[in-house]
Amino acid sequence: MTFDNFEYAQQLKKDLMVMQRWQVLVETLSQAETTADILEVVNKILAFDVHEATILRVASEHWYPSTHWVTLAFAKLSSMASLSETSVVLPQLQKVAELHFAEFPNASFRFTAAPLVAGGYYLEEISQNLRILYWDMSRRRFYLDTDQFAQLVQTEALQLAGLPALKSFQQRLTGIAEQLKELDYDVDVIGIDAKNNLDLTMRGKDLPVDVLDSLFVAAAKQHFVLKSHQGQKTGTTLKIADVTLDIIQNRDDNGHSFWHYDIIDNNQDVTLYSLIQQLPFLAQWYNMWLDQVGLKDHREVFVE
């Protein structure tokens, strides 16, 4: 085959133009200061990576996977949402940055690509391999994984950090959710907002009698007393110092019972997750009956 020097030169020129466009996108992300600008440029980066970045993959020192850029965008939103520091760390010989949040010095987080059936990305705690949330920028979805978040608050790293750290972390995630909600995202971070603690719906219907009976027994062993509601409401009440946890039964149009949690806390400090972290008997009950009493979330995107 005859080598065409001019054609080769034109291909190099094209590749240099691609590299220049890439440099502009990355620089723009580093300078973006609003939620809308951050999301706009990271979406352009992800689209560029899919369609035009062959040269960057070949020259591997210049290429990072899509999860890296999603991590950087999330770090920016996180810094805007919290007073606690967010650090971005690139471990040696790796191509995806890790997130470190000041409130949890013994935990580190990263984004991974969700399966194609779900799309989007998962934020995971690395050492425990637990999902925190799901983020899909193309379809504007942001959902908490209530199952694995409940597991996370029970891990040793988060137990050692204590309730103030969990409060700070929940406020951080809530702040990010509020930013995205302003841009018409479908947001569901049920249970982490201490200012929105009513009507936290359980996923199960028609709870077996054993579910609440087992909570009565577990609480009594730890010298807590559950009281059945009297009057119009059906359910039980658990008092923890100045906080009240109500478990309320409702009826749907088909006559099935469904249940929700109400947390009454005048200081707006406590969430269901902080109660789970603080009260081992409640955590054990929640874990045992998770399919019934777990908070209702978007399980369809959390693919195993």
Side-chain angles (χ1 to χ4, degrees):
M1 183 177 69
T2 303
F3 179 77
D4 189 326
N5 191 65
F6 180 77
E7 183 179 339
Y8 176 63
Q10 294 303 111
Q11 184 60 50
L12 287 177
K13 181 179 179 181
K14 181 181 177 181
D15 289 345
L16 287 171
M17 291 173 64
V18 170
M19 186 68 78
Q20 184 179 33
R21 289 178 56 208
W22 178 250
Q23 181 271 328
V24 169
L25 286 173
V26 173
E27 184 175 354
T28 302
L29 177 60
S30 69
Q31 296 173 346
E33 295 182 349
T34 69
T35 304
D37 288 346
I38 292 166
L39 296 183
E40 180 182 5
V41 69
V42 80
N43 273 315
K44 289 180 179 178
I45 286 174
L46 298 180
F48 181 96
D49 183 51
V50 169
H51 298 295
E52 301 183 63
T54 302
I55 183 175
L56 301 179
R57 296 193 190 96
V58 173
S60 60
E61 68 271 18
H62 299 299
W63 176 79
Y64 294 87
S66 60
T67 47
H68 177 80
W69 305 107
V70 172
T71 300
L72 295 187
F74 190 85
K76 279 182 163 287
L77 301 186
S78 178
S79 295
M80 293 161 59
S82 176
L83 297 177
S84 298
E85 183 181 356
T86 302
S87 302
V88 179
V89 178
L90 188 62
Q92 188 175 11
L93 302 179
Q94 293 192 29
K95 302 292 281 183
V96 177
E98 295 179 358
L99 290 168
H100 294 187
F101 303 119
E103 59 266 31
F104 288 144
N106 296 316
S108 54
F109 302 80
R110 69 182 171 203
F111 275 94
T112 61
L116 288 177
V117 67
Y121 301 88
Y122 296 142
L123 178 66
E124 298 179 346
E125 201 288 313
I126 295 172
S127 63
Q128 301 296 325
N129 194 30
L130 291 173
R131 286 185 308 245
I132 310 304
L133 53 82
Y134 165 84
W135 190 18
D136 183 348
M137 281 172 278
S138 63
R139 285 174 281 192
R140 295 178 179 244
R141 302 187 296 186
F142 189 79
Y143 304 145
L144 187 75
D145 185 335
T146 61
D147 285 6
Q148 296 201 14
F149 191 80
Q151 292 180 47
L152 180 70
V153 304
Q154 299 173 60
T155 60
E156 183 177 3
L158 272 68
Q159 292 278 358
L160 288 173
L163 288 173
L166 178 58
K167 178 182 177 180
S168 179
F169 190 53
Q170 290 179 123
Q171 289 174 336
R172 180 193 294 275
L173 297 181
T174 301
I176 294 170
E178 290 298 326
Q179 293 177 52
L180 296 176
K181 194 179 296 184
E182 290 177 0
L183 297 176
D184 296 324
Y185 264 67
D186 182 22
V187 171
D188 188 355
V189 289
I190 183 172
I192 66 171
D193 185 359
K195 297 179 181 178
N196 188 20
N197 258 336
L198 303 179
D199 296 321
L200 306 178
T201 304
M202 295 182 188
R203 68 184 56 150
K205 290 189 176 183
D206 300 323
L207 295 186
V209 174
D210 292 349
V211 174
L212 289 183
D213 284 350
S214 64
L215 182 59
F216 272 92
V217 172
K221 288 181 179 178
Q222 299 300 319
H223 308 292
F224 288 93
V225 177
L226 267 76
K227 294 183 179 179
S228 297
H229 288 160
Q230 304 294 323
Q232 294 183 338
K233 289 197 298 186
T234 300
T236 62
T237 293
L238 175 64
K239 289 283 291 182
I240 310 104
D242 295 328
V243 177
T244 300
L245 172 63
D246 281 335
I247 301 176
I248 310 295
Q249 183 189 45
N250 305 277
R251 294 280 177 184
D252 63 21
D253 294 338
N254 296 318
H256 293 290
S257 66
F258 64 98
W259 298 74
H260 72 263
Y261 303 98
D262 285 344
I263 299 173
I264 314 301
D265 171 27
N266 292 332
N267 294 322
Q268 296 186 328
D269 282 333
V270 172
T271 67
L272 181 63
Y273 298 111
S274 54
L275 291 177
I276 287 172
Q277 183 183 38
Q278 191 176 14
L279 302 171
F281 79 87
L282 182 63
Q284 292 168 9
W285 173 81
Y286 190 87
N287 295 337
M288 178 183 300
W289 299 103
L290 183 63
D291 289 341
Q292 284 81 30
V293 306
L295 291 176
K296 187 177 182 180
D297 63 8
H298 292 263
R299 296 314 306 164
E300 68 276 6
V301 303
F302 297 111
V303 182
E304 300 297 339

